[in-house]
């Protein structure tokens, strides 16, 4: 039995973690902490199927757990990670605090000093690319949801050296839960419903740094430059990215698809779709699955569609997958 | 030409007013005021088809207008009404400040003293019931959206003395714009999407006071008592109320429907549906129409369904309808 | 290990069954049948996390299974039930074919002869009311989604003799998946989105017969008469019913709630909410939970709100709960 | 007064036409035809604010009208156009029948012979590019909704010779009404709600031919080749296209925006957004407006976002704009 603690359990990702962990045979949730709601029962806030006592983060019994999940705002996560690691507890951080490998990169994208530079680099928790490093890691940075769709959609091509133009266009659409739970004007129902809006487009969204960092690791040639257009999609959960990649004119659609099929042949949570099927959000909702479709638009130009549930494979599910790897459990346990 | 001013134009109802007034042949919008956004152009906030310079409420040129619309929060509306009336300007108030006829009733439902008791009672701006009084009114209280559905749905029966039990059950569902524009946890997209939730049920919602006040005026018997279950419906705009009324066992469905048909025969904005059709929100969206269906569930029990768009017939459209009556314009002008 | 077969796996309820059974530790799915899609793999139709070979219903190896689930249209279900029972296989039918206890009642509500009258009455599969009979049943009729909300919301009051007027008003709202998967004009996206519409209101919806049958069993007084207003709600899944019940004027809200709390104290899938919380659809989505809130609108008039997920507690989840009872498994297995 | 007839008034575009024409001061609707619903009143089908008698297409009094709008399926439109033109009536066709200029292009994209090749080429009804030709045209082909977003978003750059790579990537998202009213599996509520799915991606969607035809007219260099990824977006109406264009590295964002601002300076229905605002669907819903934003992702790569309401500027509103031009009316009449 692995004993776990959750920080930030009243956020969307934290709640989702608790929901999935409830189905995990090898896990015991020892504590659930919430800064703003401590002292309450979870059902006082959301009278659904889950029950938990919410404790103050400072009261968390770190001595009783093997691993903690951090569903905390950026910044707060780093501070809690330090405390947990000092107590000998392994950490899976769902925030962005440890996704960039260097303090310099962090400062470039987040505009201030890293709160715990000594802990960098953490293991980047994209299991499909980084399983071995995760296995022994004390601190795992759970990837961002957008980067998960994009890095999974690029990896086979980058590793095969088949990206012929480093400029890669990514047009992504995310369900609103990706923006977190605190109320904001731009995530109010009437503002997003029956609309679609882009934000932070070009090369300014912070996830661009994360995508380019991971893409650079995978390539032997020129590091890719991501042109990124994220959108707020009027659905609660789910994400779809269209990725436009220049490839050699000789690469056929069948060969490209075969490359993806082989690359992910043994991956339980990545499904490469056959010819005639396109990745769509519905297929992956409420699952830890990522689906990928491969379409040759014309010779030399591939369209990769990459879909996942931003709260599962893009957050809580991927975090549990990381935990399973870190503790040598069956990788799919609790995630079916 | 009627010269009008709008306060609170950046709220949902205020914006909707400006949209409809743009199609009105006899109206010139002289000013559009916004407390929070003054100094900007409207298109800086919402780059849609409308353009307007947003001025501070204190800078409003009251001397240049014949009438003002108040799309303001409760309380602020009363203060602005006093100023406008003092300047000789007629007022159509979309807030709840003047809907209840007495200071005592206001205190009962709103929990504090009325901010301008000398102005009570205002004309209650439900044109279909109160056309003559509105014509000459200086101050018109635009009805609440829920009460509009309910009072229109009850009036023919109450006036005909056909309500045999004063307890009337009203189960209402409202689009989220009814809760206003400022962001709140309970109107955030993810909280309301794919859900339906009731709130303030029983006899506690403030609109109960308004409904009962108007129902009492229409009855010669015991004043009705409304049991009210409002819900937040995951749509942007629109409202549907189910009204359950005990009637004499001898009343047939056809006779009841005929009563409604005759009652509203000359009303341009109330459509009583024939047998076989039920009121639904889609029929009235983006229109100033209220539709009503009449169904006999069993002898002695009628189900009235009453639908409208909460931002049009439930707010801005009804306000323009009031203006048309106040200034002896064609009642449907600008509202087609 | 229980060996199960599923008929109609490409419908919404059938797919949901397969999804939940995949998490059940004591079940092996032996076959998945589909009339229209036999010969294909499930992922050809819906490339999600589930995989299954779709066989023709006639090819189903009934000799290899202990129980079958019927996610079939009304009529087709009865014929398949006969075959399965003849083969010694227990049956859980998700259609309406066996919900009414007598051929006469069936003919009254469905307008034609019952296709298998000898099998009536089946066990009515509302576990919370009927656990003992289900345990030994060969044929279980899984309840309708609307009746599940209503019967759970009425049972404590009816059994306690606290319903003082047999006329009970039920205003229900259902997600669109309740209408099934085949495309229809009235469930097309644009027709239902941003709307709310009632249908078959009064005493004509077929579920009225089922509700009244079950309510009659629970009461010692006059059999209740249900006034029923179902609505199509623009969400995919979930259901909320408002139930208006006359009770003795002396019954307090606290006493009424206590009655519900005690009645369902040991039920794993019914949660009676404390004062201050109201049942809402979000709380029960994607769970087998039903939540119930109890509000006294005024002395003598209770409002019960009853929520569930129409595809889980209203269909597939309840079916698995029935299976667990029938095979003496832990009742919550596979349903967490 | 212009006398008009509408064919196909019960479809989404036909109904929208009738709605907007009801606000037009210079138009009298003489007939409204419907193949499937003739003999009924419109309110029997949709009890909203509009009323009309539905006649059989063959009974249409073509001698009484100046112009007809064809809201008909592809193929049926061409036949009706022939009849109307023979009767001396001008035609605005909302189908795809006359959008491609040559029979050969039609056969290439639609797979069969053109039903009325003698009528080709018709005037392509994108007023902003083609005003003079439309003025005198007898037959106007109302543009497709996707091409309207794309051609408006490309025209200034193409005409200025600033497109440095003919391969242009277009990632578009359309509300479901774009798929028409007849019920289909892939536009059923549950199938599209809470999802996003692409279809016909690459260079296979029929609108690619239309986009490339119009783009070719605007360029002096190599004809653009469109890579097109359309998506079904779970909203009723509205469309947003992201267009990725290679431009000379020396072109600044400000210069590119200025080019658009000047190009559309006198256009009442195209709004080029200032720096800091991005085109979004909500801005254009229920309006005849197209909004365009210009963002330089990096030197040499522009992102144009282009938004409109597919039923208004993408169909009915654009058709009325064409009529206004054809009959020398004020171009904005009826469209405010």
């Amino acid at each position: 039995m692995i004993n776990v603690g959750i920080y930030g359990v009243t956020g969307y990702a934290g709640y989702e973690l608790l929901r999935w962990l409830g189905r995990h045979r090898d896990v015991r949730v020892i504590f659930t902490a919430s800064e703003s709601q401590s002292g309450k029962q979870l059902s006082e806030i959301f009278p659904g199927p889950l029950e938990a006592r919410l404790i103050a983060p400072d009261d968390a019994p770190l001595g009783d757990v093997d691993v903690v999940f951090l569903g905390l705002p950026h910044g707060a996560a780093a501070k809690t990670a330090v405390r947990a690691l000092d107590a000998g507890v392994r950490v899976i951080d769902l925030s962005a605090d440890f996704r960039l490998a260097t303090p310099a990169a962090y400062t470039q994208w987040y505009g201030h000093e890293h709160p715990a530079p000594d802990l960098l680099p953490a293991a980047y928790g994209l299991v499909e690319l980084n399983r071995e490093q995760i296995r022994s890691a004390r601190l795992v940075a759970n990837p961002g949801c957008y980067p998960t769709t994009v890095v999974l959609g690029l990896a086979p091509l980058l590793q095969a050296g088949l990206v012929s133009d480093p400029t890669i266009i990514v047009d992504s659409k995310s369900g609103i839960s990706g923006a977190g739970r605190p109320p904001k004007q731009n995530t109010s129902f009437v503002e997003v419903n029956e609309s679609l809006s882009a934000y932070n487009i070009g090369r300014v969204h912070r996830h661009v740094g994360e995508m380019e960092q991971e893409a650079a690791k995978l390539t032997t040639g020129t590091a890719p430059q991501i042109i990124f257009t994220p959108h707020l999609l009027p659905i609660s959960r789910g994400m779809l990215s269209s990725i436009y990649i220049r490839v050699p004119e000789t690469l056929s659609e069948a060969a490209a698809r075969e490359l993806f099929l082989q690359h992910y042949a043994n991956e339980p949570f990545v499904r490469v779709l056959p010819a005639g099927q396109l990745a769509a959000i519905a297929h992956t909702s409420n699952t830890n699955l990522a689906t990928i479709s491969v379409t040759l638009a014309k010779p030399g130009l591939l369209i990769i569609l990459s879909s996942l549930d931003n709260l599962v494979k893009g957050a809580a599910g991927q975090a549990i997958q990381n935990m399973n790897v870190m503790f040598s459990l069956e990788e799919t346990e609790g995630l079916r």
Side-chain angles (χ1 to χ4, degrees), chain A:
Chain A
M1 270 305 189
I2 309 297
N3 292 325
V4 314
I6 304 174
Y7 289 88
V9 74
T10 57
Y12 290 136
Y15 187 86
E16 192 75 10
L17 262 171
L18 190 62
R19 191 159 81 98
W20 286 89
L21 288 173
R23 298 190 188 121
H24 198 295
R25 302 176 196 207
D26 306 316
V27 156
R28 200 163 31 206
V29 176
I30 300 297
F31 70 81
T32 47
S34 165
E35 183 75 43
S36 59
Q37 307 283 348
S38 67
K40 294 186 186 162
Q41 292 292 120
L42 182 57
S43 66
E44 293 178 59
I45 297 155
F46 190 85
L50 304 181
E51 191 50 289
R53 196 165 60 90
L54 304 179
I55 64 168
D58 286 348
D59 297 342
L62 283 169
D64 298 348
V65 297
D66 303 299
V67 62
V68 291
F69 294 95
L70 310 185
L72 298 173
H74 308 319
K79 293 197 192 89
T80 308
V82 171
R83 284 186 52 193
L85 290 166
D86 284 351
V89 175
R90 295 168 89 175
V91 173
I92 301 169
D93 176 25
L94 285 78
S95 86
D97 281 356
F98 298 104
R99 292 177 191 158
L100 296 177
T102 67
Y106 183 89
T107 301
Q108 177 191 345
W109 287 100
Y110 289 85
H112 57 85
E113 300 256 306
H114 192 279
D118 296 348
L119 296 179
L120 294 181
Y124 187 74
L126 191 58
V127 175
E128 288 78 8
L129 297 182
N130 215 14
R131 197 172 268 111
E132 284 319 303
Q133 192 189 348
I134 293 164
R135 209 180 294 282
S136 57
R138 308 292 309 165
L139 169 60
V140 171
N142 213 51
C145 43
Y146 287 124
T148 302
T149 63
V150 172
V151 179
L152 289 175
L154 289 176
L157 294 165
L158 289 171
Q159 291 190 336
L162 288 170
V163 176
S164 55
D165 180 338
T167 300
I168 295 172
I169 291 171
V170 177
D171 195 289
S172 293
K173 304 87 183 174
S174 170
I176 311 297
S177 59
R181 199 164 184 222
K184 292 181 277 288
Q185 188 72 51
N186 71 336
T187 56
S188 286
F189 185 84
V190 179
E191 306 292 317
V192 291
N193 186 44
E194 293 297 293
S195 189
L196 181 77
S197 58
Y199 65 101
N200 289 353
I201 74 174
R203 291 180 42 71
V204 294
H205 190 288
R206 289 165 169 181
H207 282 181
V208 170
E210 186 181 342
M211 294 179 206
E212 292 187 350
Q213 167 184 288
E214 295 306 307
K217 288 184 198 165
L218 296 165
T219 187
T220 52
T222 310
Q225 196 175 33
I226 306 287
I227 305 301
F228 184 46
T229 306
H231 298 78
L232 279 182
L233 181 67
I235 67 173
S236 289
R237 50 162 70 200
M239 175 170 285
L240 183 68
S241 293
S242 309
I243 312 173
Y244 299 90
I245 311 164
R246 303 276 182 160
V247 293
E249 299 234 339
T250 52
L251 184 68
S252 70
E253 182 176 297
R257 185 177 296 111
E258 187 57 28
L259 185 76
F260 276 80
L261 282 165
Q262 288 187 11
H263 191 99
Y264 294 120
N266 299 314
E267 290 300 337
F269 294 119
V270 179
R271 181 190 283 244
V272 178
L273 298 180
Q277 288 190 327
L278 296 176
I281 286 178
H283 306 146
T284 54
S285 297
N286 282 293
T287 81
N288 196 50
L289 197 65
T291 62
I292 293 174
S293 63
V294 178
T295 305
L296 191 71
K298 66 167 186 172
L301 183 50
L302 270 186
I303 307 176
I304 304 296
L305 301 182
S306 177
S307 163
L308 53 72
D309 184 323
N310 60 299
L311 291 180
V312 192
K313 181 61 179 166
Q318 183 146 261
I320 293 170
Q321 189 182 353
N322 274 308
M323 179 194 73
N324 287 343
V325 171
M326 291 165 79
F327 289 90
S328 302
L329 305 173
E330 196 189 346
E331 195 171 315
T332 59
E333 177 52 36
L335 294 171
R336 275 175 288 252

